[in-house]
Amino acid sequence: LVLPFAPAGSVVRYRVRVSSGGALEMLEPRRDGRTLAHGLFGAEAWLHVEFESLPDRAASSQGPAPQAQQQRVLSDGIELCGVRFLFFGFKAGKSMADSKAYFLRESGVLADSA
């Protein structure tokens, strides 16, 4: 895995693809422009996630539905290199291949406000 050089004003965008079965595949990182979100949480806190298109329901085999496998990733989060990332939001595209999800690194402990 080769990390691109990120000059001032740029960040390294870390990417992962989730297969129809829920398996993770590391994708080559890319250089991207710095955003407000990168400034607030840090570039290393963000994980850009792509989802593989799902097969036709009629063509899928026995066992857990592929859609359920991908939804589990959204609800449970992603653990990558000992760091846990939780679902933050999504950007809908014209197709599944154009749609992206954004996960944010978990840090600290949330206390109950009650």
Side-chain angles (χ1 to χ4, degrees):
L1 189 64
V2 177
L3 295 178
F5 173 70
S10 296
V11 295
V12 175
R13 180 173 44 147
Y14 299 98
R15 305 178 316 130
V16 171
R17 177 180 291 124
V18 179
S19 74
S20 59
L24 298 177
E25 174 191 354
M26 291 283 296
L27 300 173
E28 197 69 33
R30 293 189 179 158
R31 188 174 58 208
D32 203 1
R34 182 176 295 276
T35 65
L36 178 62
H38 289 115
L40 287 172
F41 298 105
E44 298 82 22
W46 292 101
L47 185 63
H48 295 239
V49 180
E50 301 173 7
F51 289 88
E52 184 176 81
S53 294
L54 296 171
D56 218 5
R57 282 187 190 254
S60 65
S61 63
Q62 303 266 349
Q67 184 175 12
Q69 299 283 354
Q70 287 188 344
Q71 287 175 341
R72 189 172 299 118
V73 170
L74 290 172
S75 64
D76 295 349
I78 294 174
E79 187 162 333
L80 191 63
C81 301
V83 178
R84 184 170 177 78
F85 293 87
L86 300 174
F87 177 71
F88 181 79
F90 71 95
K91 181 178 179 182
K94 293 182 180 182
S95 68
M96 190 64 162
D98 292 337
S99 300
K100 307 283 186 271
Y102 301 95
F103 283 64
L104 186 60
R105 180 179 59 207
E106 180 181 59
S107 66
V109 177
L110 294 176
D112 190 6
S113 61

